[in-house]
């Protein structure tokens, strides 16, 4: 009668556990980036522990403010590099490697059946591989650094089944925005979400990562797509270690069951300043755009850049358009296949791999009153700059809006 979450926590705890149980679980991989590792390391040092539990299972990528935007950031990053060397951390990814939630899967650490914890709320992205990925705070991460374990309450699970195929120019981002609008920003608080159905099985790994990435925007502890051939093919010659996929039982206990019809889905847009304020693009009033941003851990993968290039080919952007690949691997592939050339010819600006302006810290923050169409995952007030307005959309909708200068249905281009 187990859900995927119950089975993963049972393995990690060494005993059978079910939803609502409290348990001490062993962590398979732990991640903290430049924005959170400094806080976790301070807490770790305050515990007066000399060595981390396992330097081969800690992953430290620099992605939030890269390259360093001021002397303070540079000093913080210097101190973390020093700690990484002192502790013998084996998996450190410095400036330019890419966004943590892209680098970790690329390097083969996001594996089916594993319990993966990151000091970042969008660590739920790893659920795209059939793992239980979740975010924790810096002091919790310090505890993991020291012991390799952490207390958890095993979450109840919501099942989401999506029927039908996505039509032309309709993406996983449109699907997940629709789901967020239906479930609500707090509709899955401290729950796990399992995604099923024809639509999900047809999604690429990139699409599944987009889907699971935004589970936290519904308050979920994790979002999980069961592993299948698409998962195994991606992990071939990439997996960092052996793994054992976990699947829910047919009679698993779900507290809710959402049914989605994806066949009729139109491009979706989340209006300021709430992620669940979602409407079809046809319902958005003609809105002038000042900036378009395509990238982030939600939509900075090769598939996303290629879709933007498809829309922008032989066109010119009417507003400043910033495109940031999610990783060096993505950037290299986009360079080789001509995607970057198409984007540059359209007038877009290409940034180095990283989070960019998503969190309002670097490379594209907007001014008060400005409107940005972004492929990121949050549009809270002040997210990309005090007083700005963020509209969340797919790479196709963002690229179409860059051409016209107002929020546009990509099917019209």
């Amino acid at each position: 009668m187990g859900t995927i979450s119950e089975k993963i926590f049972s393995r990690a705890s060494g005993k059978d556990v079910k939803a609502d149980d409290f348990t001490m679980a062993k962590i398979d991989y732990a991640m903290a980036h430049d924005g959170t590792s400094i806080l976790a390391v301070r807490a770790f040092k305050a515990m007066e522990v000399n060595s981390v539990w396992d330097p081969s299972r800690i992953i430290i990528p620099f992605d939030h403010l890269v390259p360093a935007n001021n002397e303070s950031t540079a000093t913080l990053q210097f101190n973390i590099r020093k700690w990484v060397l002192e502790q013998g951390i084996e998996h450190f990814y410095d400036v330019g490697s890419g966004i943590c939630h892209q680098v970790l899967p690329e390097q083969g650490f996001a594996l089916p059946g594993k319990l993966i914890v990151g000091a970042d709320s969008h660590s739920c992205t790893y659920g795209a591989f059939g793992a239980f990925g979740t975010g924790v705070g810096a002091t919790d991460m310090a505890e993991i650094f020291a012991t390799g374990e952490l207390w958890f309450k095993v979450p109840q699970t919501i099942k989401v089944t999506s029927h039908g195929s996505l039509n032309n120019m309709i993406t996983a981002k449109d699907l997940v925005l629709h789901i967020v609008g239906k479930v609500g920003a707090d509709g899955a608080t401290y729950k796990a979400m399992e995604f099923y159905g024809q639509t999900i099985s047809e999604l690429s790994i990139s699409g599944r990562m987009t889907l699971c990435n935004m589970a936290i925007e519904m308050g979920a502890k994790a979002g999980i797509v069961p592993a299948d051939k698409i998962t195994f093919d991606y992990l071939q010659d990439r997996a960092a270690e052996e793994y054992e996929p976990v699947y829910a039982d047919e009679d698993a206990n779900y507290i809710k069951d959402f049914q989605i019809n994806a066949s009729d889905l139109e491009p979706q847009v989340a209006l300021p300043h709430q992620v669940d304020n979602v409407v079809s693009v046809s319902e958005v009033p003609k809105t002038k755009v000042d900036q378009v941003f395509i990238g982030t851990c939600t939509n900075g993968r090769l598939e996303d850049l290629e879709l933007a290039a498809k829309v922008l080919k032989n066109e010119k952007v009417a507003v400043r358009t910033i495109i940031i690949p999610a990783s060096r691997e993505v950037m290299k592939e986009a360079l080789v296949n001509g995607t970057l050339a198409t984007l540059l010819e359209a007038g877009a600006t290409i940034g180095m791999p990283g989070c960019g302006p998503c969190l309002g810290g670097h490379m594209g923050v907007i001014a008060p009153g400005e409107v940005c169409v972004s492929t990121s995952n949050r549009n809270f007030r002040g997210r990309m700059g005090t007083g700005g307005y963020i509209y969340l959309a797919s790479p196709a909708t963002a690229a179409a809006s860059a051409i016209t200068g107002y929020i546009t249905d990509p099917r019209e281009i």
Side-chain angles (χ1 to χ4, degrees), residues 248-269:
D249 294 329
E250 289 188 7
D251 57 352
N253 183 28
Y254 298 104
I255 60 168
K256 291 182 181 178
D257 188 346
F258 287 93
Q259 300 292 318
I260 306 294
N261 180 8
S263 299
D264 299 329
L265 197 62
E266 297 181 12
Q268 303 287 292
V269 177

Side-chain angles (χ1 to χ4, degrees), residues 22-339:
F22 288 90
T23 189
M24 180 70 81
K26 294 184 180 298
I27 307 301
D28 291 298
Y29 292 104
M31 183 280 297
H33 51 66
D34 54 315
T36 55
S37 57
I38 187 66
L39 302 174
V41 168
R42 286 173 183 169
F44 175 82
K45 290 180 177 179
M47 296 167 67
E48 298 184 352
V49 178
N50 294 325
S51 302
V52 299
W53 110 93
D54 188 341
S56 71
R57 294 191 173 272
I58 295 174
I59 302 156
I60 309 288
F62 280 3
D63 62 356
H64 270 51
L65 294 172
V66 295
N69 61 335
N70 56 42
E71 186 175 348
S72 176
T73 299
T75 301
L76 292 176
Q77 293 179 356
F78 172 84
N79 290 334
I80 292 302
R81 290 188 186 100
K82 182 180 177 182
W83 182 80
V84 163
L85 288 173
E86 291 172 350
Q87 292 294 325
I89 303 299
E90 296 180 16
H91 306 296
F92 172 62
Y93 301 94
D94 211 330
V95 172
S97 299
I99 304 172
C100 56
H101 306 310
Q102 181 69 19
V103 171
L104 192 147
E106 284 178 352
Q107 298 301 318
F109 300 114
L111 299 169
K114 301 295 185 181
L115 176 57
I116 308 168
V117 176
D120 186 280
S121 60
H122 291 104
S123 298
C124 49
T125 306
Y126 314 138
F129 300 87
F132 189 98
T134 196
V136 299
T139 51
D140 285 336
M141 185 54 67
E143 178 70 19
I144 294 170
F145 283 172
T147 68
E149 300 180 343
L150 192 67
W151 280 101
F152 290 90
K153 179 182 179 182
V154 181
Q156 298 174 336
T157 299
I158 294 172
K159 184 177 184 180
V160 179
T161 304
S162 183
H163 306 278
S165 299
L166 297 174
N167 291 316
N168 183 43
M169 290 292 165
I170 311 301
T171 71
K173 181 61 165 292
D174 299 300
L175 175 63
V176 72
L177 285 176
H178 178 70
I179 294 172
V180 172
K182 187 169 184 176
V183 175
D186 59 355
T189 299
Y190 209 96
K191 307 294 189 297
M193 303 183 75
E194 292 181 12
F195 299 101
Y196 295 93
Q198 178 186 346
T199 323
I200 309 304
S201 65
E202 292 176 352
L203 290 179
S204 65
I205 283 295
S206 292
R208 296 175 186 192
M209 290 174 70
T210 297
L211 180 70
C212 293
N213 175 271
M214 291 192 65
I216 184 64
E217 309 312 331
M218 295 170 274
K221 192 72 174 170
I224 304 173
V225 175
D228 60 10
K229 185 178 184 303
I230 291 175
T231 317
F232 306 142
D233 287 348
Y234 180 88
L235 293 172
Q236 185 71 33
D237 300 324
R238 191 189 293 266
E241 64 176 339
E242 293 184 357
Y243 59 87
E244 184 175 346
V246 172
Y247 302 97
D249 294 329
E250 289 188 7
D251 57 352
N253 183 28
Y254 298 104
I255 60 168
K256 291 182 181 178
D257 188 346
F258 287 93
Q259 300 292 318
I260 306 294
N261 180 8
S263 299
D264 299 329
L265 197 62
E266 297 181 12
Q268 303 287 292
V269 177
L271 308 179
H273 298 280
Q274 296 171 263
V275 182
D276 60 353
N277 187 14
V278 178
V279 299
S280 295
V281 68
S282 59
E283 301 175 68
V284 181
K286 188 170 183 177
T287 304
K288 182 182 178 297
V289 175
D290 298 291
Q291 175 175 295
V292 166
F293 172 42
I294 299 173
T296 78
C297 58
T298 314
N299 280 126
R301 286 171 276 280
L302 181 64
E303 179 180 292
D304 303 311
L305 272 57
E306 289 176 334
L307 180 57
K310 180 179 179 180
V311 176
L312 288 168
K313 188 175 180 63
N314 299 322
E315 300 281 358
K316 292 293 183 181
V317 299
V319 298
R320 62 183 189 271
T321 301
I322 300 170
I323 300 178
I324 301 181
S327 71
R328 179 178 284 115
E329 181 176 310
V330 170
M331 194 170 197
K332 286 169 60 179
E333 292 174 343
L335 176 64
V336 170
N337 72 11
T339 296

Side-chain angles (χ1 to χ4, degrees), residues 385-404:
T386 304
Y389 295 84
I390 306 167
Y391 291 75
L392 303 181
S394 74
T397 301
S401 303
I403 294 168
T404 64

